[in-house]
Amino acid sequence: MTKRENIDLLVWNFDFALSTFYEIESWQVEKLLPPRIIPMEVTPGVALINITVFNFPEGGLGKLPEFQELILSIIVLPDLSRDVPKFAMYVISLSSTCQEHLDHSSDYYKLPSFKKLSFGNIDKKNINVEFGDSDGKILTMQNCNPQANYRNEKRYFQAFTTKNEVIYVADIYIRAKLFDHQQSGYTGKLFNHPFFKQLEVEDTEPVSYLQMIAAPNVLGQQIYYRPKKFI
Amino acid sequence: MDQIKKELKQPYTEYTLDMFLRSAGKDHAEIHQFNRWREEVIKAGKYTFEIPHLYAQKSEIEVQRITGEKYNLINFASYNYLGYSYHPEVLSSAKEALDTYGLGATGSPLLNGTFNLHKIFERKLAEYFGLEGYGVSLFSSGYGANIGVISAYIHKGEHVVLDRSSHASLFDGALLSQGKITLFKHNDIEHLEKVLKRISHENSRVLICTEGVYSADGDYGKVKEIVQVAKRYDAKVLVDEAHSLLLAGSNGKGVAEEQGVLEDVDLIIGTFSKSFAGVGGCLYAKEEIINYINYYARSRVFSCAIDPAVTGGLIKALELAGGSDGKIKRVKIKKNAKYFRSKLFGKVDIGTSETWIIPVIYGHERITIPLSDFLHKEGVDISLMMFPAVPKNKSRLRVFVTSEHSKEHMDKGADAILKAAKKFGFLLDD
Ligand SMILES: Cc1ncc(COP(=O)(O)O)c(C=O)c1O
């Protein structure tokens, strides 16, 4: 991977992505954000967190083996001077079944890498996942809408992050066959686990607000730019 | 489906209004990006927002787009439910008041802006509702009534419990009060009870807010059940009768009357912009509450009183609605709404509608602008609601049926909707 370090974007091929946005009280997320980063509220007092799971097949990024990634972020106000994203995320926790990937994410993307996952089970057929590490189960997550209607899309997102008290922002494009829905239903369970930092998730049972799903086994691309200082 | 594919290729369909809400940077990027998007829609000739109407809000209207094109449309976008905005008696009462009192009230109601006309209107409204020891406080809008009343009644640290589908003015009132906001699922009394159980152990005031008729969904609020649960937890209840005053209940006093709980509701909010067809709002409550609100609702104290001409018109509208005219029109609007719903039911998704507000859920917000344009070209005006006003994938047309629509109007309106549904792919069995 070292050869790539001087380039400004990396293209990641994935064959599975499941992303759920959950409602959560704004006060819970505000305490995790630096002063200039403000949560986006869907209604007053209600913010969103996002949990996204990816499966990267072998060779999805250079020489890395197949691995799974789990990302937790808070949905925040975007920087519209860059462009208008679908959503802007402030990443607060990142986990992966691949240690090399975690190290690279921390170094290149300035992401808050959490410890390595001990298991990441993905059932592509039924679109449900289960993740955990040596501290126990982190979550289960599943699609709750059986009528998926996938469409080829190119979407723009922004990812904010903080490292050594410096705020960074990166542009991300997703090119994939995607489907969004807001069907209410069972989307899985979040467990009390250090991965969630100080968010109380198990007892409050946050309700799902929106799910974004990529067609399983169809190769999608994540075009992820090197973060820049947010000024 | 070709139409939809072509329209969805237009870059402006990728954006929803929430995306331009605010930018994290200190430059004004949201203003710049929003204007860029607006210009694109205008350039494509699809801009239907803020469209100037050339005459009164009758069932048939003429509008002129920013491009100069004029359209003759059947009007399903106005909440002029009983047609009072152009009723000759209402207009002559307004003209008389204009000649006597002049154009504006030129002052806050608490200081110098109150005319005897306002006092007459307050008294007549209180008599119309009819409860002993109750009174009315007037506001210059329904929005002002909600934000003023909630923020005066609830203080920092107390609780406002809102139905998820509540109108923005209820949310804004709750925000302004600095109380703690908790939401319950739309019309879900079990969930409301869970919420009350969780918060009411604290020794502080709890105000539950509901709407008589929900403005986005067109269903009735479960006022009776809410009142019952509220009593168990010693919470107070506010009912916003914006879309039900003069319409619901055997005498038009609203959904609280219809469900037999008028006396059990603590605060009733009315607006004069809908069935009254003027502008303004009110609180109906026990007199001692009214006296307090008159002094402490900031949107009332620090804003001008309703103008005299409108007040004159409102008095006449109330008189008409309280008499035989109102009785006939209430029967008519319910009959019309039932007919319109029956034309759409099973063919498109009208959600939980059971009133004169009929949403037609078309789902994806990306088709909003082309759809609005298409409906104009089919000769109907129907407003559209998109995310974040309603959930994503629940974007909807919102049809307002009035007592003044003829069967022919409704047939044409329903036909246009079904034609659009076929073209844009939201017909149920397509
Ligand atoms: C439920 C509800 N409450 C309050 C208002 C605000 O009323 P007004 O337009 O009179 O300010 C509206 C208006 O759309 C509404 O639908």
Side-chain angles (χ1 to χ4, degrees), chain A residues 23 38 43-44 77-81 84-86 153 180-182 209, chain B residues 19 22-24 27 29-30 33 164 175 183 366 387 391-393:
Chain A
E23 293 184 4
I38 296 159
T43 49
L77 295 178
D79 176 2
L80 294 178
S81 66
V84 184
K86 192 88 183 155
E153 303 256 9
D180 294 353
H181 76 85
Q182 265 198 321
Y209 173 79
Chain B
M19 290 166 133
R22 237 185 101 176
S23 175
D27 48 10
E30 69 277 27
Q33 295 286 11
R164 270 218 69 128
L175 273 176
L183 308 184
R366 285 179 81 160
F387 183 76
K392 246 190 165 54
N393 282 13

PDB file of all heavy atoms in Angstrom, chain A residues 23 38 43-44 77-81 84-86 153 180-182 209, chain B residues 19 22-24 27 29-30 33 164 175 183 366 387 391-393:
ATOM      1  N   GLU A  23     -32.286   7.476  14.479  1.00  0.00           N
ATOM      2  CA  GLU A  23     -32.574   8.711  15.213  1.00  0.00           C
ATOM      3  C   GLU A  23     -31.991   8.613  16.612  1.00  0.00           C
ATOM      4  O   GLU A  23     -32.010   7.541  17.218  1.00  0.00           O
ATOM      5  CB  GLU A  23     -34.084   8.897  15.330  1.00  0.00           C
ATOM      6  CG  GLU A  23     -34.728   9.159  14.010  1.00  0.00           C
ATOM      7  CD  GLU A  23     -36.208   9.436  14.124  1.00  0.00           C
ATOM      8  OE1 GLU A  23     -36.731   9.491  15.253  1.00  0.00           O
ATOM      9  OE2 GLU A  23     -36.827   9.607  13.067  1.00  0.00           O
ATOM     10  N   ILE A  38     -21.680  20.720  13.652  1.00  0.00           N
ATOM     11  CA  ILE A  38     -23.027  20.793  14.217  1.00  0.00           C
ATOM     12  C   ILE A  38     -23.879  19.655  13.663  1.00  0.00           C
ATOM     13  O   ILE A  38     -23.867  19.396  12.452  1.00  0.00           O
ATOM     14  CB  ILE A  38     -23.652  22.162  13.863  1.00  0.00           C
ATOM     15  CG1 ILE A  38     -22.830  23.258  14.536  1.00  0.00           C
ATOM     16  CG2 ILE A  38     -25.108  22.274  14.280  1.00  0.00           C
ATOM     17  CD1 ILE A  38     -22.971  24.601  13.919  1.00  0.00           C
ATOM     18  N   THR A  43     -35.696  16.623  13.069  1.00  0.00           N
ATOM     19  CA  THR A  43     -36.671  17.526  13.673  1.00  0.00           C
ATOM     20  C   THR A  43     -35.955  18.077  14.892  1.00  0.00           C
ATOM     21  O   THR A  43     -34.964  17.490  15.342  1.00  0.00           O
ATOM     22  CB  THR A  43     -37.961  16.809  14.130  1.00  0.00           C
ATOM     23  OG1 THR A  43     -37.581  15.678  14.882  1.00  0.00           O
ATOM     24  CG2 THR A  43     -38.817  16.365  12.983  1.00  0.00           C
ATOM     25  N   PRO A  44     -36.434  19.199  15.437  1.00  0.00           N
ATOM     26  CA  PRO A  44     -35.710  19.762  16.568  1.00  0.00           C
ATOM     27  C   PRO A  44     -35.526  18.734  17.686  1.00  0.00           C
ATOM     28  O   PRO A  44     -36.468  18.052  18.067  1.00  0.00           O
ATOM     29  CB  PRO A  44     -36.622  20.907  17.012  1.00  0.00           C
ATOM     30  CG  PRO A  44     -37.337  21.297  15.772  1.00  0.00           C
ATOM     31  CD  PRO A  44     -37.561  20.031  15.016  1.00  0.00           C
ATOM     32  N   LEU A  77     -23.839  19.013   9.647  1.00  0.00           N
ATOM     33  CA  LEU A  77     -24.020  19.986   8.570  1.00  0.00           C
ATOM     34  C   LEU A  77     -22.824  19.901   7.622  1.00  0.00           C
ATOM     35  O   LEU A  77     -21.687  19.840   8.063  1.00  0.00           O
ATOM     36  CB  LEU A  77     -24.103  21.397   9.138  1.00  0.00           C
ATOM     37  CG  LEU A  77     -25.320  21.679  10.018  1.00  0.00           C
ATOM     38  CD1 LEU A  77     -25.251  23.097  10.558  1.00  0.00           C
ATOM     39  CD2 LEU A  77     -26.607  21.487   9.241  1.00  0.00           C
ATOM     40  N   PRO A  78     -23.082  19.903   6.325  1.00  0.00           N
ATOM     41  CA  PRO A  78     -21.987  19.763   5.362  1.00  0.00           C
ATOM     42  C   PRO A  78     -21.250  21.080   5.143  1.00  0.00           C
ATOM     43  O   PRO A  78     -21.710  22.130   5.601  1.00  0.00           O
ATOM     44  CB  PRO A  78     -22.726  19.376   4.084  1.00  0.00           C
ATOM     45  CG  PRO A  78     -24.079  20.001   4.217  1.00  0.00           C
ATOM     46  CD  PRO A  78     -24.397  20.004   5.685  1.00  0.00           C
ATOM     47  N   ASP A  79     -20.130  21.002   4.451  1.00  0.00           N
ATOM     48  CA  ASP A  79     -19.453  22.211   3.979  1.00  0.00           C
ATOM     49  C   ASP A  79     -19.869  22.395   2.519  1.00  0.00           C
ATOM     50  O   ASP A  79     -19.323  21.757   1.617  1.00  0.00           O
ATOM     51  CB  ASP A  79     -17.938  22.043   4.106  1.00  0.00           C
ATOM     52  CG  ASP A  79     -17.200  23.249   3.523  1.00  0.00           C
ATOM     53  OD1 ASP A  79     -17.874  24.203   3.066  1.00  0.00           O
ATOM     54  OD2 ASP A  79     -15.959  23.227   3.514  1.00  0.00           O
ATOM     55  N   LEU A  80     -20.833  23.269   2.303  1.00  0.00           N
ATOM     56  CA  LEU A  80     -21.404  23.401   0.961  1.00  0.00           C
ATOM     57  C   LEU A  80     -20.493  24.162   0.006  1.00  0.00           C
ATOM     58  O   LEU A  80     -20.776  24.253  -1.178  1.00  0.00           O
ATOM     59  CB  LEU A  80     -22.783  24.067   1.033  1.00  0.00           C
ATOM     60  CG  LEU A  80     -23.865  23.264   1.748  1.00  0.00           C
ATOM     61  CD1 LEU A  80     -25.170  24.065   1.800  1.00  0.00           C
ATOM     62  CD2 LEU A  80     -24.136  21.938   1.057  1.00  0.00           C
ATOM     63  N   SER A  81     -19.409  24.721   0.532  1.00  0.00           N
ATOM     64  CA  SER A  81     -18.498  25.402  -0.393  1.00  0.00           C
ATOM     65  C   SER A  81     -17.746  24.371  -1.238  1.00  0.00           C
ATOM     66  O   SER A  81     -17.229  24.682  -2.295  1.00  0.00           O
ATOM     67  CB  SER A  81     -17.522  26.300   0.369  1.00  0.00           C
ATOM     68  OG  SER A  81     -16.678  25.496   1.150  1.00  0.00           O
ATOM     69  N   VAL A  84     -22.578  19.997  -2.884  1.00  0.00           N
ATOM     70  CA  VAL A  84     -23.741  19.653  -2.066  1.00  0.00           C
ATOM     71  C   VAL A  84     -23.812  18.130  -1.916  1.00  0.00           C
ATOM     72  O   VAL A  84     -24.136  17.424  -2.875  1.00  0.00           O
ATOM     73  CB  VAL A  84     -25.034  20.170  -2.724  1.00  0.00           C
ATOM     74  CG1 VAL A  84     -26.230  19.896  -1.828  1.00  0.00           C
ATOM     75  CG2 VAL A  84     -24.913  21.649  -3.040  1.00  0.00           C
ATOM     76  N   PRO A  85     -23.479  17.619  -0.733  1.00  0.00           N
ATOM     77  CA  PRO A  85     -23.490  16.155  -0.570  1.00  0.00           C
ATOM     78  C   PRO A  85     -24.870  15.629  -0.205  1.00  0.00           C
ATOM     79  O   PRO A  85     -25.737  16.383   0.243  1.00  0.00           O
ATOM     80  CB  PRO A  85     -22.543  15.952   0.615  1.00  0.00           C
ATOM     81  CG  PRO A  85     -22.747  17.166   1.448  1.00  0.00           C
ATOM     82  CD  PRO A  85     -23.083  18.295   0.510  1.00  0.00           C
ATOM     83  N   LYS A  86     -25.035  14.354  -0.395  1.00  0.00           N
ATOM     84  CA  LYS A  86     -26.253  13.677   0.067  1.00  0.00           C
ATOM     85  C   LYS A  86     -26.301  13.777   1.592  1.00  0.00           C
ATOM     86  O   LYS A  86     -27.315  14.141   2.167  1.00  0.00           O
ATOM     87  CB  LYS A  86     -26.155  12.209  -0.363  1.00  0.00           C
ATOM     88  CG  LYS A  86     -27.421  11.449  -0.214  1.00  0.00           C
ATOM     89  CD  LYS A  86     -28.283  11.560  -1.444  1.00  0.00           C
ATOM     90  CE  LYS A  86     -29.597  10.845  -1.238  1.00  0.00           C
ATOM     91  NZ  LYS A  86     -30.656  11.375  -2.079  1.00  0.00           N
ATOM     92  N   GLU A 153     -26.440   4.629  -9.319  1.00  0.00           N
ATOM     93  CA  GLU A 153     -26.357   5.992  -8.791  1.00  0.00           C
ATOM     94  C   GLU A 153     -24.898   6.373  -8.586  1.00  0.00           C
ATOM     95  O   GLU A 153     -24.052   5.517  -8.312  1.00  0.00           O
ATOM     96  CB  GLU A 153     -27.014   6.074  -7.409  1.00  0.00           C
ATOM     97  CG  GLU A 153     -28.437   5.630  -7.356  1.00  0.00           C
ATOM     98  CD  GLU A 153     -29.416   6.782  -7.274  1.00  0.00           C
ATOM     99  OE1 GLU A 153     -28.985   7.959  -7.426  1.00  0.00           O
ATOM    100  OE2 GLU A 153     -30.607   6.499  -7.061  1.00  0.00           O
ATOM    101  N   ASP A 180     -32.643   3.203  -1.507  1.00  0.00           N
ATOM    102  CA  ASP A 180     -32.906   3.849  -0.205  1.00  0.00           C
ATOM    103  C   ASP A 180     -34.339   3.558   0.194  1.00  0.00           C
ATOM    104  O   ASP A 180     -35.204   3.533  -0.666  1.00  0.00           O
ATOM    105  CB  ASP A 180     -32.934   5.377  -0.318  1.00  0.00           C
ATOM    106  CG  ASP A 180     -31.632   5.991  -0.675  1.00  0.00           C
ATOM    107  OD1 ASP A 180     -30.642   5.280  -0.719  1.00  0.00           O
ATOM    108  OD2 ASP A 180     -31.645   7.220  -0.900  1.00  0.00           O
ATOM    109  N   HIS A 181     -34.591   3.440   1.472  1.00  0.00           N
ATOM    110  CA  HIS A 181     -36.002   3.355   1.880  1.00  0.00           C
ATOM    111  C   HIS A 181     -36.158   3.856   3.307  1.00  0.00           C
ATOM    112  O   HIS A 181     -35.186   3.954   4.060  1.00  0.00           O
ATOM    113  CB  HIS A 181     -36.510   1.922   1.751  1.00  0.00           C
ATOM    114  CG  HIS A 181     -36.017   1.029   2.853  1.00  0.00           C
ATOM    115  ND1 HIS A 181     -36.647   0.932   4.056  1.00  0.00           N
ATOM    116  CD2 HIS A 181     -34.927   0.223   2.938  1.00  0.00           C
ATOM    117  CE1 HIS A 181     -35.983   0.095   4.833  1.00  0.00           C
ATOM    118  NE2 HIS A 181     -34.932  -0.344   4.184  1.00  0.00           N
ATOM    119  N   GLN A 182     -37.394   4.174   3.642  1.00  0.00           N
ATOM    120  CA  GLN A 182     -37.696   4.628   4.997  1.00  0.00           C
ATOM    121  C   GLN A 182     -38.782   3.781   5.632  1.00  0.00           C
ATOM    122  O   GLN A 182     -39.526   4.236   6.481  1.00  0.00           O
ATOM    123  CB  GLN A 182     -38.161   6.081   4.959  1.00  0.00           C
ATOM    124  CG  GLN A 182     -37.031   7.042   5.219  1.00  0.00           C
ATOM    125  CD  GLN A 182     -37.515   8.406   5.619  1.00  0.00           C
ATOM    126  OE1 GLN A 182     -38.505   8.870   5.072  1.00  0.00           O
ATOM    127  NE2 GLN A 182     -36.843   9.053   6.532  1.00  0.00           N
ATOM    128  N   TYR A 209     -34.161   5.474  10.681  1.00  0.00           N
ATOM    129  CA  TYR A 209     -34.721   6.612   9.967  1.00  0.00           C
ATOM    130  C   TYR A 209     -34.682   6.371   8.456  1.00  0.00           C
ATOM    131  O   TYR A 209     -35.606   6.734   7.734  1.00  0.00           O
ATOM    132  CB  TYR A 209     -33.897   7.845  10.337  1.00  0.00           C
ATOM    133  CG  TYR A 209     -34.246   9.088   9.565  1.00  0.00           C
ATOM    134  CD1 TYR A 209     -35.353   9.838   9.914  1.00  0.00           C
ATOM    135  CD2 TYR A 209     -33.460   9.502   8.502  1.00  0.00           C
ATOM    136  CE1 TYR A 209     -35.681  10.978   9.209  1.00  0.00           C
ATOM    137  CE2 TYR A 209     -33.784  10.646   7.795  1.00  0.00           C
ATOM    138  CZ  TYR A 209     -34.895  11.370   8.152  1.00  0.00           C
ATOM    139  OH  TYR A 209     -35.210  12.489   7.453  1.00  0.00           O
TER     140      TYR A 209
ATOM    141  N   MET B  19     -30.882  19.965   1.836  1.00  0.00           N
ATOM    142  CA  MET B  19     -29.452  19.917   1.517  1.00  0.00           C
ATOM    143  C   MET B  19     -28.804  21.306   1.547  1.00  0.00           C
ATOM    144  O   MET B  19     -27.588  21.421   1.635  1.00  0.00           O
ATOM    145  CB  MET B  19     -29.245  19.280   0.146  1.00  0.00           C
ATOM    146  CG  MET B  19     -29.552  17.801   0.137  1.00  0.00           C
ATOM    147  SD  MET B  19     -29.676  17.245  -1.549  1.00  0.00           S
ATOM    148  CE  MET B  19     -28.701  15.804  -1.544  1.00  0.00           C
ATOM    149  N   ARG B  22     -27.880  24.604   5.746  1.00  0.00           N
ATOM    150  CA  ARG B  22     -26.782  25.338   6.367  1.00  0.00           C
ATOM    151  C   ARG B  22     -25.477  24.692   5.987  1.00  0.00           C
ATOM    152  O   ARG B  22     -25.415  23.486   5.781  1.00  0.00           O
ATOM    153  CB  ARG B  22     -26.928  25.297   7.890  1.00  0.00           C
ATOM    154  CG  ARG B  22     -26.982  26.679   8.489  1.00  0.00           C
ATOM    155  CD  ARG B  22     -27.010  26.586   9.972  1.00  0.00           C
ATOM    156  NE  ARG B  22     -25.692  26.853  10.542  1.00  0.00           N
ATOM    157  CZ  ARG B  22     -25.479  26.904  11.847  1.00  0.00           C
ATOM    158  NH1 ARG B  22     -26.447  26.692  12.694  1.00  0.00           N
ATOM    159  NH2 ARG B  22     -24.278  27.169  12.307  1.00  0.00           N
ATOM    160  N   SER B  23     -24.450  25.501   5.918  1.00  0.00           N
ATOM    161  CA  SER B  23     -23.142  24.953   5.608  1.00  0.00           C
ATOM    162  C   SER B  23     -22.257  25.100   6.839  1.00  0.00           C
ATOM    163  O   SER B  23     -22.432  26.018   7.633  1.00  0.00           O
ATOM    164  CB  SER B  23     -22.546  25.729   4.439  1.00  0.00           C
ATOM    165  OG  SER B  23     -21.236  25.295   4.195  1.00  0.00           O
ATOM    166  N   ALA B  24     -21.297  24.178   6.967  1.00  0.00           N
ATOM    167  CA  ALA B  24     -20.433  24.216   8.144  1.00  0.00           C
ATOM    168  C   ALA B  24     -19.382  25.324   8.056  1.00  0.00           C
ATOM    169  O   ALA B  24     -18.834  25.740   9.055  1.00  0.00           O
ATOM    170  CB  ALA B  24     -19.751  22.870   8.324  1.00  0.00           C
ATOM    171  N   ASP B  27     -18.171  30.911   5.120  1.00  0.00           N
ATOM    172  CA  ASP B  27     -18.679  31.606   3.928  1.00  0.00           C
ATOM    173  C   ASP B  27     -20.173  31.273   3.802  1.00  0.00           C
ATOM    174  O   ASP B  27     -20.698  30.479   4.555  1.00  0.00           O
ATOM    175  CB  ASP B  27     -17.924  31.133   2.679  1.00  0.00           C
ATOM    176  CG  ASP B  27     -17.840  29.620   2.628  1.00  0.00           C
ATOM    177  OD1 ASP B  27     -18.525  28.978   3.452  1.00  0.00           O
ATOM    178  OD2 ASP B  27     -17.093  29.069   1.818  1.00  0.00           O
ATOM    179  N   ALA B  29     -21.932  29.490   1.729  1.00  0.00           N
ATOM    180  CA  ALA B  29     -22.039  28.502   0.654  1.00  0.00           C
ATOM    181  C   ALA B  29     -23.465  28.005   0.470  1.00  0.00           C
ATOM    182  O   ALA B  29     -23.870  27.690  -0.645  1.00  0.00           O
ATOM    183  CB  ALA B  29     -21.106  27.331   0.943  1.00  0.00           C
ATOM    184  N   GLU B  30     -24.234  27.931   1.553  1.00  0.00           N
ATOM    185  CA  GLU B  30     -25.604  27.426   1.409  1.00  0.00           C
ATOM    186  C   GLU B  30     -26.429  28.387   0.544  1.00  0.00           C
ATOM    187  O   GLU B  30     -27.261  27.966  -0.260  1.00  0.00           O
ATOM    188  CB  GLU B  30     -26.267  27.168   2.769  1.00  0.00           C
ATOM    189  CG  GLU B  30     -26.610  28.372   3.618  1.00  0.00           C
ATOM    190  CD  GLU B  30     -25.439  28.890   4.433  1.00  0.00           C
ATOM    191  OE1 GLU B  30     -24.277  28.695   4.018  1.00  0.00           O
ATOM    192  OE2 GLU B  30     -25.678  29.525   5.468  1.00  0.00           O
ATOM    193  N   GLN B  33     -25.209  27.875  -3.102  1.00  0.00           N
ATOM    194  CA  GLN B  33     -25.641  26.593  -3.683  1.00  0.00           C
ATOM    195  C   GLN B  33     -27.142  26.572  -3.912  1.00  0.00           C
ATOM    196  O   GLN B  33     -27.623  26.056  -4.921  1.00  0.00           O
ATOM    197  CB  GLN B  33     -25.259  25.415  -2.768  1.00  0.00           C
ATOM    198  CG  GLN B  33     -23.767  25.196  -2.611  1.00  0.00           C
ATOM    199  CD  GLN B  33     -23.119  24.576  -3.854  1.00  0.00           C
ATOM    200  OE1 GLN B  33     -23.734  24.488  -4.908  1.00  0.00           O
ATOM    201  NE2 GLN B  33     -21.874  24.170  -3.737  1.00  0.00           N
ATOM    202  N   ARG B 164     -45.080  13.118  16.101  1.00  0.00           N
ATOM    203  CA  ARG B 164     -44.023  13.236  15.074  1.00  0.00           C
ATOM    204  C   ARG B 164     -44.464  14.012  13.837  1.00  0.00           C
ATOM    205  O   ARG B 164     -43.670  14.628  13.159  1.00  0.00           O
ATOM    206  CB  ARG B 164     -43.620  11.832  14.613  1.00  0.00           C
ATOM    207  CG  ARG B 164     -42.517  11.232  15.401  1.00  0.00           C
ATOM    208  CD  ARG B 164     -41.640  10.474  14.452  1.00  0.00           C
ATOM    209  NE  ARG B 164     -40.967  11.446  13.611  1.00  0.00           N
ATOM    210  CZ  ARG B 164     -39.671  11.514  13.409  1.00  0.00           C
ATOM    211  NH1 ARG B 164     -38.898  10.654  13.990  1.00  0.00           N
ATOM    212  NH2 ARG B 164     -39.144  12.414  12.628  1.00  0.00           N
ATOM    213  N   LEU B 175     -39.434  24.694  20.685  1.00  0.00           N
ATOM    214  CA  LEU B 175     -38.027  25.105  20.695  1.00  0.00           C
ATOM    215  C   LEU B 175     -37.849  26.428  21.424  1.00  0.00           C
ATOM    216  O   LEU B 175     -36.932  26.602  22.226  1.00  0.00           O
ATOM    217  CB  LEU B 175     -37.542  25.308  19.261  1.00  0.00           C
ATOM    218  CG  LEU B 175     -37.007  24.104  18.541  1.00  0.00           C
ATOM    219  CD1 LEU B 175     -36.657  24.470  17.113  1.00  0.00           C
ATOM    220  CD2 LEU B 175     -35.760  23.579  19.260  1.00  0.00           C
ATOM    221  N   LEU B 183     -40.815  13.273  21.282  1.00  0.00           N
ATOM    222  CA  LEU B 183     -41.768  12.975  20.215  1.00  0.00           C
ATOM    223  C   LEU B 183     -42.434  11.620  20.456  1.00  0.00           C
ATOM    224  O   LEU B 183     -41.823  10.723  21.020  1.00  0.00           O
ATOM    225  CB  LEU B 183     -41.047  12.913  18.863  1.00  0.00           C
ATOM    226  CG  LEU B 183     -40.174  14.100  18.481  1.00  0.00           C
ATOM    227  CD1 LEU B 183     -39.623  13.905  17.068  1.00  0.00           C
ATOM    228  CD2 LEU B 183     -40.955  15.397  18.540  1.00  0.00           C
ATOM    229  N   ARG B 366     -37.317  13.064  -5.886  1.00  0.00           N
ATOM    230  CA  ARG B 366     -36.683  13.505  -7.139  1.00  0.00           C
ATOM    231  C   ARG B 366     -37.683  13.867  -8.227  1.00  0.00           C
ATOM    232  O   ARG B 366     -37.365  14.631  -9.118  1.00  0.00           O
ATOM    233  CB  ARG B 366     -35.765  12.405  -7.671  1.00  0.00           C
ATOM    234  CG  ARG B 366     -34.491  12.302  -6.894  1.00  0.00           C
ATOM    235  CD  ARG B 366     -33.636  11.207  -7.430  1.00  0.00           C
ATOM    236  NE  ARG B 366     -32.895  11.651  -8.597  1.00  0.00           N
ATOM    237  CZ  ARG B 366     -31.800  11.043  -9.035  1.00  0.00           C
ATOM    238  NH1 ARG B 366     -31.349   9.998  -8.397  1.00  0.00           N
ATOM    239  NH2 ARG B 366     -31.177  11.485 -10.087  1.00  0.00           N
ATOM    240  N   PHE B 387     -39.441  15.979   1.448  1.00  0.00           N
ATOM    241  CA  PHE B 387     -38.476  15.918   2.531  1.00  0.00           C
ATOM    242  C   PHE B 387     -37.791  17.293   2.653  1.00  0.00           C
ATOM    243  O   PHE B 387     -37.470  17.881   1.628  1.00  0.00           O
ATOM    244  CB  PHE B 387     -37.442  14.835   2.189  1.00  0.00           C
ATOM    245  CG  PHE B 387     -36.408  14.603   3.234  1.00  0.00           C
ATOM    246  CD1 PHE B 387     -36.721  13.894   4.376  1.00  0.00           C
ATOM    247  CD2 PHE B 387     -35.126  15.110   3.081  1.00  0.00           C
ATOM    248  CE1 PHE B 387     -35.766  13.670   5.335  1.00  0.00           C
ATOM    249  CE2 PHE B 387     -34.168  14.885   4.056  1.00  0.00           C
ATOM    250  CZ  PHE B 387     -34.487  14.169   5.182  1.00  0.00           C
ATOM    251  N   PRO B 391     -41.310  12.565   5.677  1.00  0.00           N
ATOM    252  CA  PRO B 391     -40.161  11.659   5.574  1.00  0.00           C
ATOM    253  C   PRO B 391     -39.715  11.440   4.129  1.00  0.00           C
ATOM    254  O   PRO B 391     -40.518  11.564   3.200  1.00  0.00           O
ATOM    255  CB  PRO B 391     -40.684  10.356   6.162  1.00  0.00           C
ATOM    256  CG  PRO B 391     -41.846  10.717   6.989  1.00  0.00           C
ATOM    257  CD  PRO B 391     -42.437  11.957   6.386  1.00  0.00           C
ATOM    258  N   LYS B 392     -38.449  11.091   3.978  1.00  0.00           N
ATOM    259  CA  LYS B 392     -37.912  10.735   2.661  1.00  0.00           C
ATOM    260  C   LYS B 392     -38.720   9.566   2.113  1.00  0.00           C
ATOM    261  O   LYS B 392     -39.209   8.743   2.865  1.00  0.00           O
ATOM    262  CB  LYS B 392     -36.461  10.274   2.834  1.00  0.00           C
ATOM    263  CG  LYS B 392     -35.481  11.191   2.189  1.00  0.00           C
ATOM    264  CD  LYS B 392     -34.096  10.597   2.174  1.00  0.00           C
ATOM    265  CE  LYS B 392     -33.220  11.345   1.218  1.00  0.00           C
ATOM    266  NZ  LYS B 392     -33.144  12.786   1.429  1.00  0.00           N
ATOM    267  N   ASN B 393     -38.883   9.517   0.838  1.00  0.00           N
ATOM    268  CA  ASN B 393     -39.677   8.465   0.188  1.00  0.00           C
ATOM    269  C   ASN B 393     -41.157   8.541   0.524  1.00  0.00           C
ATOM    270  O   ASN B 393     -41.910   7.633   0.225  1.00  0.00           O
ATOM    271  CB  ASN B 393     -39.158   7.053   0.521  1.00  0.00           C
ATOM    272  CG  ASN B 393     -37.938   6.725  -0.296  1.00  0.00           C
ATOM    273  OD1 ASN B 393     -37.349   7.612  -0.915  1.00  0.00           O
ATOM    274  ND2 ASN B 393     -37.568   5.465  -0.322  1.00  0.00           N
TER     275      ASN B 393
END
